[in-house]
């Protein structure tokens, strides 16, 4: 079967903007009404704010709807109907799958989905994969642990749905996965940036295989911002000889954004399925114009079992100024998710986003993929330490690498670092999401 259409849904993805807004408004009214009537948890929040479904008529009305925070969801769980609590909007019998968040910022949140929700997940991911060039001729290898985290589960089903052949590499170890990719001549895969780089390391050092000689031609990344950090993206693309695309999503939200084949410096928001609002961190006003960063407030417009309405994601994003050459009318966010309000920290009075350090480290060819940033205090003074690895063969360039690294860090982050060099392979390796930033000043 050969299908060479540019869009997964040619009508929806090219709708005139005013029609998209109309669609979002109608869908918001529908999901709000559903949630208000089905969920005791949500209804009490909206009643306290004095908002009823019939009050929502415009986008301005939507902005009056209280935000939902992750911590609020934690408090209701493990209660009846067990284990989801009273945010559940369907009979427990209709829930067909359990997932939970990874718990990197605290107690995991449980996420029930019905079969209808699960089809929605797969449909959202179909937009992503099709936009990134996945076609029925692809053989897609899935190198992730199939478990209680949503990870790439929906990517798996979407790849099947659009007609690809899917190879679930679940419990295989990294070496076995690489050998299977080689054996089956897989053409695409999905993984976190940390694992994409880690697999390449293993291929070269343990198997003597050059990843660019394998048949992988496209890689979809999620779970970490790396595929939107230009130096990390380039590193992955060079090592694998493949195109690397970003996608941002979350368990409690859904698969809300994607980079397309044009790689035009941002992610499309799937505006047919999600309403994204960007809120100014200081003034709390909703930002409509490009070039101003704020945190994302997001609504999943078609998710029914445990809805996501004006969820405070803590992701930092900004609208892109220019439309994408691909012709999709969905708005784009510039540079993907550029950070999290949780991660942004002040060091010596300067705001530091960990992604800025990654951008610098990964732009220097003589440095390995791994690094660690540790912030602590020496007396009353903040101190920031950066641990990096020198690539094999770069030993005689050590001094110039160090000077260059210091200069670039000062330029990009306005901070000076205590830099520690390690031999290649000495820093910890991570399988899925890396923990590379530690702020020891925070009290737990
Ligand atoms: Zn595009």
């Amino acid at each position: 079967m050969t299908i060479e259409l540019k869009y997964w849904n040619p009508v929806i993805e090219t709708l005139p903007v005013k029609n998209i807004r109309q669609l979002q408004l109608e869908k918001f009214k529908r999901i709000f009404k559903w949630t208000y009537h089905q969920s005791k948890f949500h209804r009490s929040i909206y009643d306290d704010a004095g908002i009823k479904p019939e009050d929502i008529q415009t986008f301005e009305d939507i902005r009056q709807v209280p935000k939902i925070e992750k911590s609020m969801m934690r408090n209701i769980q493990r209660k009846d109907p067990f284990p989801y609590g009273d945010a559940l909007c369907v009979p427990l019998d209709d829930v067909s799958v359990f997932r939970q968040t990874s718990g990197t910022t605290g107690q995991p949140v449980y996420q029930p989905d019905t079969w209808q929700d699960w089809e929605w997940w797969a449909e959202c991911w179909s937009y992503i994969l099709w936009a990134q060039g996945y076609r029925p001729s692809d053989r897609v290898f899935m190198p992730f642990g199939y478990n209680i985290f949503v990870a790439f589960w929906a990517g798996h089903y979407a790849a099947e749905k659009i007609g690809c052949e899917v190879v679930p590499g679940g419990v295989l170890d990294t070496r076995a996965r690489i050998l299977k990719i080689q054996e089956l001549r897989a053409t695409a895969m999905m993984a976190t940036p940390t694992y994409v780089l880690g697999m390449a390391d293993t291929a070269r050092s343990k198997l003597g295989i050059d990843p660019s000689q394998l048949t992988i031609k496209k890689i979809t990344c999620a779970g970490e911002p790396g595929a939107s950090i230009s130096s990390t993206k380039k590193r992955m693309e060079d090592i694998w000889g493949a195109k690397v695309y970003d996608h941002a999503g979350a368990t409690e939200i859904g698969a809300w954004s994607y980079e397309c084949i044009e790689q035009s410096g941002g992610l499309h928001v799937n505006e047919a399925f999600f309403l994204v609002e960007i809120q100014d961190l200081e003034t709390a006003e909703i930002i409509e114009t490009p070039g101003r960063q704020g945190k994302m407030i997001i609504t999943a417009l078609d998710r029914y079992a445990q809805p996501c309405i004006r969820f405070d994601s803590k992701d930092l994003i900004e609208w892109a100024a220019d439309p994408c050459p691909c012709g999709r009318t969905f708005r784009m966010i510039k540079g993907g998710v550029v950070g999290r309000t949780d991660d942004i920290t002040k060091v010596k009075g300067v705001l530091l986003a960990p992604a800025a350090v990654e951008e610098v480290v990964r732009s220097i060819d003589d440095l390995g993929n791994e690094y660690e940033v540790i912030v602590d205090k020496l007396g009353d003074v903040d101190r920031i330490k950066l641990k990096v690895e020198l690539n094999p063969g770069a030993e005689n360039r050590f001094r110039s690498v160090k000077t260059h690294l210091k200069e670039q860090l000062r330029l990009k982050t306005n901070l000076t670092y205590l830099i520690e060099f390690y031999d290649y392979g000495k820093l910890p390796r991570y399988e899925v999401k890396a923990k590379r930033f530690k702020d020891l000043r925070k009290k737990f």
Side-chain angles (χ1 to χ4, degrees):
M1 184 169 65
T2 308
I3 301 172
E4 267 314 323
L5 292 170
K6 193 169 171 187
Y7 309 108
W8 173 247
N9 188 323
V11 176
I12 292 288
E13 289 177 87
T14 57
L15 269 184
V17 171
K18 72 171 181 6
N19 297 20
I20 295 176
R21 297 291 159 265
Q22 201 180 351
L23 179 69
Q24 289 179 309
L25 187 57
E26 290 311 313
K27 282 191 168 189
F28 189 97
K29 288 185 201 174
R30 183 176 70 181
I31 194 72
F32 187 79
K33 187 175 173 190
W34 164 263
T35 308
Y36 184 87
H37 290 297
Q38 301 295 119
S39 154
K40 265 184 6 200
F41 162 75
H42 286 89
R43 188 164 58 244
S44 73
I45 292 169
Y46 303 144
D47 280 346
D48 286 349
I51 296 175
K52 299 255 181 292
E54 54 274 22
D55 297 333
I56 310 288
Q57 297 302 330
T58 65
F59 281 97
E60 196 45 52
D61 298 333
I62 291 175
R63 291 170 189 177
Q64 310 310 316
V65 172
K67 287 176 288 185
I68 302 289
E69 308 242 355
K70 198 174 202 161
S71 56
M72 297 157 79
M73 299 303 293
R74 279 194 195 109
N75 296 339
I76 55 167
Q77 301 204 318
R78 284 167 206 80
K79 294 176 185 155
D80 285 337
F82 186 82
Y84 303 110
D86 55 17
L88 188 67
C89 289
V90 295
L92 199 52
D93 284 0
D94 288 359
V95 175
S96 62
V97 68
F98 167 93
R99 305 266 180 241
Q100 67 177 49
T101 58
S102 55
T104 40
T105 56
Q107 179 88 29
V109 172
Y110 297 158
Q111 183 69 48
D113 280 311
T114 61
W115 186 247
Q116 182 186 335
D117 287 331
W118 196 241
E119 288 188 327
W120 162 84
W121 262 111
E123 178 68 4
C124 292
W125 262 91
S126 298
Y127 280 73
I128 300 166
L129 298 181
W130 198 266
Q132 297 176 351
Y134 287 66
R135 293 295 181 271
S137 53
D138 279 305
R139 180 170 293 137
V140 184
F141 191 85
M142 304 297 288
F144 81 102
Y146 288 71
N147 60 18
I148 49 176
F149 307 119
V150 80
F152 293 93
W153 272 99
H156 172 126
Y157 284 108
E160 285 190 7
K161 179 172 177 171
I162 69 179
C164 304
E165 181 185 338
V166 181
V167 186
V171 297
L172 303 179
D173 67 15
T174 302
R175 276 188 247 202
R177 285 169 176 169
I178 293 160
L179 291 172
K180 201 45 113 178
I181 286 171
Q182 187 180 47
E183 176 193 334
L184 295 176
R185 297 181 202 153
T187 57
M189 66 175 189
M190 307 177 203
T192 60
T194 290
Y195 195 58
V196 171
L197 292 169
M199 280 176 93
D201 250 3
T202 303
R204 287 192 299 205
S205 63
K206 303 274 170 38
L207 297 166
I209 292 174
D210 173 358
S212 70
Q213 297 306 306
L214 296 169
T215 42
I216 296 288
K217 288 289 161 260
K218 46 190 168 276
I219 300 172
T220 301
C221 286
E224 296 171 326
S228 279
I229 296 174
S230 56
S231 56
T232 301
K233 188 193 210 65
K234 182 173 185 310
R235 221 168 238 238
M236 292 190 282
E237 292 195 328
D238 290 350
I239 294 174
W240 283 91
K243 286 284 179 194
V244 171
Y245 301 105
D246 194 15
H247 151 63
T251 313
E252 60 273 64
I253 301 168
W256 58 273
S257 68
Y258 53 94
E259 185 174 12
C260 73
I261 205 159
E262 297 286 347
Q263 296 185 308
S264 58
L267 306 183
H268 288 279
V269 173
N270 188 334
E271 296 195 290
F273 291 87
F274 297 90
L275 173 65
V276 163
E277 301 167 85
I278 305 178
Q279 188 176 48
D280 189 290
L281 293 179
E282 312 258 299
T283 65
E285 103 189 77
I286 299 297
I287 300 169
E288 295 281 8
T289 47
R292 276 173 68 196
Q293 224 172 67
K295 68 174 173 176
M296 179 173 79
I297 311 296
I298 186 163
T299 301
L301 298 166
D302 306 87
R303 192 175 198 177
Y304 286 93
Q306 185 166 283
C308 165
I309 295 183
R310 298 205 84 224
F311 180 71
D312 184 349
S313 73
K314 313 231 185 285
D315 288 328
L316 288 172
I317 57 172
E318 68 178 78
W319 293 119
D322 302 315
C324 184
C326 73
R328 285 178 180 79
T329 46
F330 291 164
R331 276 185 292 186
M332 293 186 71
I333 53 167
K334 187 182 162 190
V337 172
V338 292
R340 288 184 52 81
T341 52
D342 298 349
D343 284 348
I344 301 281
T345 184
K346 263 195 177 169
V347 181
K348 297 178 189 168
V350 177
L351 279 179
L352 171 73
V357 180
E358 174 165 332
E359 174 81 58
V360 172
V361 172
R362 298 274 174 77
S363 70
I364 299 174
D365 289 342
D366 284 332
L367 295 179
N369 292 324
E370 298 301 330
Y371 66 92
E372 270 183 28
V373 180
I374 300 158
V375 183
D376 63 5
K377 262 186 190 301
L378 193 64
D380 282 340
V381 183
D382 290 338
R383 186 170 61 165
I384 180 159
K385 196 188 287 179
L386 172 65
K387 298 181 178 181
V388 289
E389 286 182 352
L390 205 57
N391 273 337
E395 292 80 5
N396 57 354
R397 292 187 293 279
F398 169 70
R399 281 183 185 283
S400 63
V401 171
K402 189 172 179 181
T403 310
H404 182 55
L405 176 60
K406 276 198 156 174
E407 277 172 11
Q408 286 300 308
L409 287 166
R410 202 166 41 232
L411 204 69
K412 298 278 167 60
T413 69
N414 292 313
L415 286 164
T416 42
Y417 297 70
L418 207 64
I419 300 173
E420 289 181 1
F421 277 87
Y422 289 80
D423 287 341
Y424 186 79
K426 292 293 180 203
L427 291 178
R429 261 61 183 163
Y430 298 92
E431 274 272 304
V432 189
K433 293 190 194 188
K435 293 182 188 67
R436 298 199 178 93
F437 182 75
K438 290 177 190 137
D439 190 345
L440 304 178
R441 300 167 308 173
K442 287 185 180 170
K443 293 188 174 62
F444 292 98

